[in-house]
Amino acid sequence: MVKCSFCDRQAVYVNRISGLAYCRIHFIEYFERKARKTIRKYNMLNPGDHVVVGVSGGKDSMALLHFLLKLKKKIPGLEVTAVLVDEGIKGYREKTIPTLVNYAEKHSVKYIIASFKDYIGATLDEIVQKSFELKLPYMPCSYCGVFRRHVLNTVAREVGATVLATAHNLDDMVQTYLMNLINNSWDRILSLAPVRSSSEEYIVKRIKPFYEIPEKETALYALLNGLIQPEFNQCPYVKYNVRFTIRKLVNELEDKYPGSKYGLLRSLLELIELQNKAKLVEKNFERCAICGNPSSHPVCRACVFRAHLGLLKNEEKLKLDVLLRENPDVAKLFKQAGSGNQLQ
């Protein structure tokens, strides 16, 4: 049995890079200290902020909600609201919703359950079925990612949040970084920064407090705090996502060469810094003419998807008709989307 490096208790975690072992108490201290350091390092939170936390009911997001509620006691005026996006995946999301609801009611946390059905006009299951019927060139995970961001942005604006916090961890960032490199999507590298903010009122500041924390540590933090059950719920659409192949490769690399993930994260941060200095890729946002959320184009990707799927409301259809007649860029945008070109 391995003993904790800081006391005589049994260790629950050994950091392979530092060689230090941690018992339950010292691991929780270590984890929270690292998350607080990340928040200070990137100036993520300020007194009086209203933070919307994107919560799925899974290990990472429950860990983030729990941590931010503890941090709330240290930051004057900090307000926390949990938002769970219910995509409408039969046999999957209903298993995690009770996790948030039970926790929120026990700890008196404000929470909102925002469904694809209400905000998009259809469940993900319905969207995937319709997409296959229409032979649209997108996979389920493309719709899910775009629409989840759309719903979180919309709800954050509705409740007047100043910050939107997501539980993306080090593993998530490294995997997405490699996916963007494989796809030659250099413009998307900027979106992988630990903080994204703007002077524009309609763009809510986005932060990732677990940016420098490995997935195995967020999972252990959640388990040690009794936030989740030790069971594995996998999305049925995972088979369509290349991310899980990347994840397997990166984990194998880390197992063989401890510290590889941190090395990849450092290279990502250096690329972002070089881009910010040299302005190699311009990343400008405007307001979507249909929904008002941030977009790299006159119409955001979520609304392009909704239009192709026939999910726009009547007033939104009228706006789009005018745009298609008066703005050649919008017509070009929809033509590119129909051919499967990637939009943001």
Side-chain angles (χ1 to χ4, degrees):
M1 289 184 1
V2 179
K3 293 283 187 177
C4 176
S5 299
F6 305 93
C7 68
D8 291 330
R9 299 183 187 91
Q10 182 178 345
V12 297
Y13 177 69
V14 177
N15 187 315
R16 291 182 63 201
I17 299 173
S18 67
L20 295 175
Y22 299 86
C23 66
R24 178 185 182 277
I25 292 173
H26 285 109
F27 174 80
I28 290 174
E29 289 178 357
Y30 153 79
F31 181 94
E32 293 178 350
R33 184 168 59 249
K34 189 153 63 166
R36 288 195 302 270
K37 181 180 178 181
T38 300
I39 288 173
R40 289 194 302 269
K41 180 179 178 180
Y42 298 108
N43 191 28
M44 291 183 174
L45 293 172
N46 294 296
D49 271 333
H50 179 186
V51 186
V52 158
V53 187
V55 181
S56 67
K59 57 180 174 39
D60 299 316
S61 60
M62 290 304 299
L64 178 60
L65 178 61
H66 184 73
F67 167 73
L68 288 176
L69 286 177
K70 293 181 75 171
L71 191 64
K72 182 180 176 183
K73 299 173 184 177
K74 300 176 183 288
I75 301 180
L78 190 70
E79 185 178 352
V80 176
T81 301
V83 177
L84 185 148
V85 178
D86 180 5
E87 305 92 343
I89 304 172
K90 189 175 181 181
Y92 176 63
R93 184 55 68 211
E94 59 260 33
K95 294 180 180 178
T96 62
I97 290 175
T99 303
L100 169 64
V101 173
N102 293 336
Y103 179 90
E105 292 179 350
K106 180 180 178 180
H107 296 274
S108 301
V109 181
K110 291 187 292 184
Y111 72 93
I112 297 168
I113 297 178
S115 70
F116 273 20
K117 191 73 172 178
D118 290 338
Y119 281 85
I120 305 301
T123 67
L124 184 62
D125 287 343
E126 292 167 343
I127 289 166
V128 171
Q129 183 180 353
K130 192 163 191 177
S131 179
F132 285 161
E133 289 172 357
L134 295 172
K135 297 182 179 179
L136 295 174
Y138 299 102
M139 291 292 102
C141 294
S142 295
Y143 290 117
C144 188
V146 168
F147 287 145
R148 278 181 59 81
R149 287 191 293 272
H150 173 83
V151 173
L152 284 173
N153 279 331
T154 302
V155 174
R157 287 170 49 213
E158 287 176 348
V159 302
T162 56
V163 178
L164 173 56
T166 59
H168 292 96
N169 55 49
L170 184 151
D171 293 58
D172 294 324
M173 304 319 302
V174 167
Q175 292 160 20
T176 307
Y177 172 39
L178 292 177
M179 289 166 64
N180 286 330
L181 287 178
I182 290 168
N183 292 325
N184 196 31
S185 299
W186 290 97
D187 58 325
R188 297 191 182 187
I189 296 294
L190 291 180
S191 67
L192 303 181
V195 176
R196 293 178 67 188
S197 59
S198 171
S199 59
E200 298 287 356
E201 291 183 2
Y202 65 92
I203 299 180
V204 178
K205 178 181 177 181
R206 298 178 73 103
I207 66 170
K208 305 179 183 82
F210 292 168
Y211 193 84
E212 298 184 0
I213 300 179
E215 181 180 32
K216 62 183 177 182
E217 292 185 2
T218 61
L220 183 57
Y221 180 79
L223 285 168
L224 293 178
N225 283 287
L227 305 176
I228 58 170
Q229 296 300 316
E231 58 183 359
F232 181 64
N233 295 313
Q234 182 168 281
C235 175
Y237 296 115
V238 69
K239 60 186 178 183
Y240 298 105
N241 198 331
V242 69
R243 175 182 294 275
F244 293 90
T245 301
I246 298 292
R247 178 181 183 180
K248 183 174 181 291
L249 292 171
V250 172
N251 283 339
E252 288 175 354
L253 184 66
E254 180 69 23
D255 286 342
K256 192 170 184 179
Y257 305 105
S260 296
K261 291 178 182 178
Y262 283 105
L264 285 166
L265 187 71
R266 284 194 295 271
S267 74
L268 166 61
L269 287 168
E270 286 192 20
L271 273 177
I272 292 173
E273 183 63 25
L274 286 172
Q275 151 60 25
N276 289 336
K277 289 179 178 178
K279 297 295 180 185
L280 298 174
V281 179
E282 288 294 335
K283 186 71 173 178
N284 297 315
F285 287 98
E286 53 188 295
R287 197 164 192 168
C288 173
I290 304 297
C291 70
N293 276 330
S295 174
S296 301
H297 305 276
V299 178
C300 73
R301 197 177 181 197
C303 288
V304 171
F305 279 172
R306 289 169 62 221
H308 280 303
L309 292 163
L311 297 175
L312 292 180
K313 298 174 183 176
N314 287 333
E315 61 270 24
E316 293 174 329
K317 290 178 184 176
L318 292 174
K319 287 182 183 178
L320 181 57
D321 286 342
V322 172
L323 283 167
L324 288 171
R325 287 197 305 270
E326 297 180 354
N327 192 330
D329 290 338
V330 175
K332 182 179 178 182
L333 182 71
F334 272 79
K335 185 177 180 181
Q336 290 174 335
S339 66
N341 287 358
Q342 294 297 301
L343 304 172
Q344 282 188 283

